[in-house]
Amino acid sequence: DGFKNWNNFGKVLDCKHEAEEYIKNSGLEYTIVRPVPMNNDFPKDVGGIWFGKADTLLLKSGEVGKSISRDDVSLAVVDAVFNEKASNATVELTGVKGAPPTARDRWWILN
């Protein structure tokens, strides 16, 4: 599975999880963004952005999406700085192929 494949690189996902927990328990305001594999496609070619709760995407068949534009991820990260809906949230991001662009007022509403 995807977790085992990525974790083979020096337990990188275990370390990332520890760091996320440390940040969550620090008392600081945070937003943790977990994008699926990113590509160089234009956002309009990928589709809408899906914002999901933590640990909902496993990169298996039948899921909402398996890739996202780097541009969409960067827009979401910048938006998180100014959008209080993103405060103290851990979100998973994916592109939804064939879906219209997701309106900004729908961002940070977790599925």
Side-chain angles (χ1 to χ4, degrees), residues 31-92:
T31 304
I32 296 170
V33 176
R34 298 177 181 167
V36 295
M38 294 180 280
N39 58 46
N40 294 323
D41 296 341
F42 292 109
K44 66 178 181 58
D45 296 334
V46 176
I49 303 175
W50 183 88
F51 288 76
K53 296 176 186 163
D55 303 320
T56 54
L57 292 173
L58 302 173
L59 301 179
K60 295 186 177 188
S61 66
E63 288 185 333
V64 68
K66 293 186 179 181
S67 67
I68 189 166
S69 167
R70 282 181 170 77
D71 292 348
D72 277 340
V73 173
S74 62
L75 287 171
V77 169
V78 169
D79 190 72
V81 173
F82 302 102
N83 192 328
E84 61 187 45
K85 291 181 197 172
S87 180
N88 298 323
T90 301
V91 300
E92 296 189 349

Side-chain angles (χ1 to χ4, degrees), residues 2-19:
F3 179 84
K4 288 179 186 172
N5 291 340
W6 277 102
N7 218 31
N8 286 334
F9 298 103
K11 304 276 185 208
V12 67
L13 293 181
D14 289 333
C15 294
K16 182 179 179 304
H17 177 73
E18 282 181 39

Side-chain angles (χ1 to χ4, degrees), residues 98-110:
T102 306
R104 283 272 168 90
D105 64 346
R106 302 289 307 153
W107 286 24
W108 309 106
I109 298 172
L110 305 184

